[in-house]
Amino acid sequence: MNKIIKAVNLIYYSPTGTSKKIAHAIGDGLKVNNLLEYDITFGDISISSVPADSLSVFVTPVYGGRVPAQFLERLSSLNGDGAMCVPVVVYGNRHYDDALLELKNEAVRRGFRPVAAAAFIGEHSYSRPEMPVAQGRPDYFDLSMAEHFGKEVIDKIVSVPEIGELSVPGNFPYKELKPKQPVAPVSTDACCSCGVCIASCPTHAISETSAGEIITDVDKCTLCCACVKVCPNAARKFDTPFTKFLYDNFSERKIPEFFF
Ligand SMILES: Cc1cc2nc3c(=O)[nH]c(=O)nc-3n(C[C@H](O)[C@H](O)[C@H](O)COP(=O)(O)O)c2cc1C
């Protein structure tokens, strides 16, 4: 443990697990003994403040070029009290647009002091085997970069005497959010009602009727596609023309970016 940072808080929202993998790899690179993990995928963060001598790493997916509303809601009670933080976004190889700036600004608004930031790539939630978009990412290369990023963060904290304002890409006003379409993944005939999809849904949009049918509340569904990715029978489907658009236009591999 270094002199300045007494604990690291790894705080992430990750319906399909890619942000979680990046968070863990950054945590490995930070090489601290006192690492506390807060997975806010399924509920609010359990603390309202962090110690002033801790470092909080915020990791979130990018939705529509922005930070998902659920991430911000689940952190709403958290106060930084001047502690350092590292905002990190994970996007599906299209772009992160204003998400990193929004995450940084939100952290500052809650009293945190950003020291570094990063953007990583994860398999797109709408990637399908026949039309892959960043399939399998973060891969070995991404995770090595994430670990390296963690190491560089600690190096900066230890070596830079006065940490100035952090600049990250993005625009304000942020990209306008499109209204969500009244659609959701559906369970097809291959569904055996095992309930894995119900447990995977961060907004509790999926339930089983007394007749054993799996139904989805389209108003609660955020289209995160966690249910599609975890279904052991590939019985959950969400078909959108957007997958082909992404496949046609954003298949070229993007690489992680660091900001110090
Ligand atoms: C509703 C929604 C909107 C998304 N918007 C974007 C986007 O604007 N740009 C992008 O590159 N990826 C976008 N993605 C893809 C996710 O950012 C990406 O798959 C991420 O790795 C998912 O993180 P998770 O595995 O932690 O859930 C979107 C995914 C969803 C579900």
Side-chain angles (χ1 to χ4, degrees):
M1 181 79 60
N2 70 73
K3 296 189 290 296
I4 306 163
I5 302 297
K6 294 280 182 291
V8 167
N9 310 302
L10 221 49
I11 301 167
Y12 58 83
Y13 177 75
S14 188
T16 64
T18 62
S19 306
K20 180 177 180 170
K21 285 183 191 164
I22 292 294
H24 283 171
I26 294 172
D28 290 345
L30 290 168
K31 295 225 184 314
V32 294
N33 301 324
N34 196 4
L35 196 141
L36 303 165
E37 195 167 332
Y38 299 96
D39 180 352
I40 56 167
T41 310
F42 297 100
D44 291 351
I45 192 152
S46 55
I47 49 170
S48 57
S49 62
V50 295
D53 52 6
S54 67
L55 172 72
S56 297
V57 182
F58 295 112
V59 190
T60 178
V62 174
Y63 283 6
R66 300 281 302 275
V67 177
Q70 292 70 33
F71 181 89
L72 299 175
E73 279 162 26
R74 276 152 206 208
L75 279 188
S76 62
S77 63
L78 187 66
N79 192 322
D81 211 14
M84 290 188 267
C85 81
V86 179
V88 176
V89 294
V90 180
Y91 68 102
N93 207 57
R94 185 192 67 74
H95 207 282
Y96 53 93
D97 300 314
D98 304 329
L100 192 57
L101 178 67
E102 182 180 16
L103 183 59
K104 188 199 103 169
N105 289 346
E106 286 294 329
V108 170
R109 203 171 63 79
R110 282 152 214 248
F112 287 90
R113 214 157 32 100
V115 293
F120 287 91
I121 297 90
E123 175 170 315
H124 201 291
S125 319
Y126 302 155
S127 173
R128 299 293 176 259
E130 64 285 6
M131 270 182 268
V133 184
Q135 192 175 33
R137 295 185 74 182
D139 55 19
Y140 177 76
F141 173 78
D142 298 309
L143 295 174
S144 307
M145 296 262 300
E147 197 173 329
H148 184 72
F149 173 69
K151 198 177 154 310
E152 284 194 17
V153 168
I154 288 294
D155 288 349
K156 175 175 178 183
I157 292 170
V158 171
S159 63
V160 177
E162 202 56 41
I163 290 172
E165 172 144 8
L166 180 74
S167 177
V168 300
N171 295 302
F172 185 83
Y174 307 129
K175 190 172 176 176
E176 210 171 311
L177 289 172
K178 294 201 183 90
K180 187 196 165 258
Q181 299 300 305
V183 290
V186 290
S187 293
T188 60
D189 288 349
C191 172
C192 65
S193 300
C194 68
V196 170
C197 58
I198 297 174
S200 76
C201 179
T203 55
H204 312 290
I206 311 172
S207 56
E208 185 176 358
T209 66
S210 52
E213 192 194 348
I214 300 290
I215 54 167
T216 309
D217 182 335
V218 291
D219 294 327
K220 284 189 185 168
C221 173
T222 61
L223 298 178
C224 74
C225 288
C227 57
V228 175
K229 303 252 176 182
V230 295
C231 178
N233 292 335
R236 289 287 288 182
K237 297 278 178 222
F238 180 63
D239 293 326
T240 162
F242 198 49
T243 300
K244 182 168 174 4
F245 171 77
L246 291 167
Y247 174 72
D248 288 343
N249 296 285
F250 298 101
S251 282
E252 195 176 322
R253 185 182 177 101
K254 297 212 164 90
I255 54 165
E257 292 169 72
F258 303 166
F259 306 95
F260 288 101

